[in-house]
Amino acid sequence: MGDFSGKSVMVLGGSRGIGAAIVRHFASAGAKVQFSYSGSPDAAAAVAAETGATAVQADSANRDELIAAVAAAGPLDIMVINAGVLVHGDPLTLDPDAVDRLIDINVRAVYFAGVEAGRRMHDDGRIIIIGSVNGDRVQIPGSTAYALSKSAVQGIGRGLARDFGARGITVNVVQPGPVDTDMNPAGGPMAPLMHSMMAIKRHAHAEEVAALVMFLASPAAAMITGTTQTIDGGIGI
Ligand code: NDP
């Protein structure tokens, strides 16, 4: 896992699922970790109590609140932009307000948080965005809104990699396939269909995604930037 002692880390959306696993990994590796949450204060308090990380309530859909929270975190070494929502269904009938909110959280917040983190980040810092394999491929109907958001963050990652590269800051997008969380439970109704398309026929564990994030955050990954790193069990290869 490596030694992250003395490193200042912020994880957006750290109260549950993949984000909570990332908080646990960095805290175990000695980092000073802050994480944001919005709708799950009890889960956030439990993760904070377990790990010693600091929980900050900040709704990624609220631009001013989000930017203020990132600015208040101080100069960071590592920013992980994980907070995201899934809105799934027929685009002909999907609630437009829900789609707008998805774009606020999955796209606009990624841009503004990435910029604000980079503004005050130490040289040789790391920005890691949690995208999705749906940024590249769409296996299941009803994924248009989600897929557009995860394709958009690829552009944010490549752009910020150029903008901050002269300072040694790397920016990469991690693209999971199915991961067993509240968003996409391994026992959910869509799981058999997903597994049928995978080479490794199971959901990933959140810890497996966190391990990839830790590698990208490490000194060993200093020359990896502007990339998408897919961790999807071979769905759609
Ligand atoms: P979960 O729904 O299990 O957890 C989502 C996390 O994001 C929670 O901590 C939640 O906090 C936080 N969050 C959501 N909305 C906001 C908001 N408005 N402001 C602040 N925090 C917010 O999802 P996952 O862990 O599965 O997903 C994490 C990321 O991984 C997302 O970007 C998702 O798109 C991506 N992903 C997930 C896959 C999967 O199969 N699970 C596959 C591919 C990508 P709170 O509840 O406190 O609001």
Side-chain angles (χ1 to χ4, degrees):
M1 194 182 295
D3 180 9
F4 287 84
S5 301
K7 298 293 185 186
S8 179
V9 179
M10 184 168 209
V11 179
L12 295 183
S15 53
R16 296 183 291 112
I18 295 168
I22 294 168
V23 170
R24 288 189 183 98
H25 272 57
F26 277 115
S28 297
K32 174 177 171 285
V33 185
Q34 305 178 57
F35 70 90
S36 74
Y37 68 98
S38 178
S40 306
D42 293 345
V47 171
E50 175 194 334
T51 61
T54 302
V56 179
Q57 189 159 27
D59 182 357
S60 284
N62 181 326
R63 187 183 64 200
D64 292 343
E65 193 173 296
L66 173 73
I67 291 173
V70 177
L76 296 166
D77 296 293
I78 298 157
M79 164 62 102
V80 183
I81 306 174
N82 164 79
V85 294
L86 171 65
V87 177
H88 191 263
D90 184 346
L92 300 180
T93 54
L94 219 48
D95 175 5
D97 289 338
V99 174
D100 270 348
R101 183 171 164 78
L102 173 145
I103 293 169
D104 285 345
I105 296 167
N106 290 14
V107 182
R108 290 197 176 93
V110 175
Y111 173 82
F112 288 111
V115 169
E116 193 59 29
R119 189 187 307 284
R120 49 194 86 231
M121 184 165 265
H122 294 129
D123 285 359
D124 302 322
R126 301 280 187 267
I127 298 175
I128 298 159
I129 299 165
I130 308 300
S132 163
V133 68
N134 288 143
D136 285 331
R137 295 187 293 275
V138 176
Q139 298 89 3
I140 296 172
S143 303
T144 303
Y146 186 71
L148 90 80
S149 73
K150 296 304 187 177
S151 295
V153 303
Q154 296 180 343
I156 297 172
R158 286 190 282 266
L160 293 182
R162 288 278 183 203
D163 290 330
F164 299 148
R167 292 158 53 199
I169 295 170
T170 69
V171 187
N172 291 287
V173 179
V174 167
Q175 302 195 138
V179 184
D180 184 18
T181 66
D182 296 340
M183 181 184 284
N184 183 5
M190 304 292 276
L193 176 61
M194 292 177 192
H195 298 171
S196 74
M197 293 184 281
M198 299 169 75
I200 311 287
K201 296 185 179 300
R202 65 168 175 84
H203 277 46
H205 307 300
E207 293 72 21
E208 292 171 313
V209 180
L212 176 55
V213 169
M214 299 294 280
F215 172 70
L216 290 170
S218 74
M223 286 299 284
I224 302 173
T225 196
T227 72
T228 55
Q229 301 287 330
T230 298
I231 172 168
D232 69 347
I235 200 166
I237 52 176

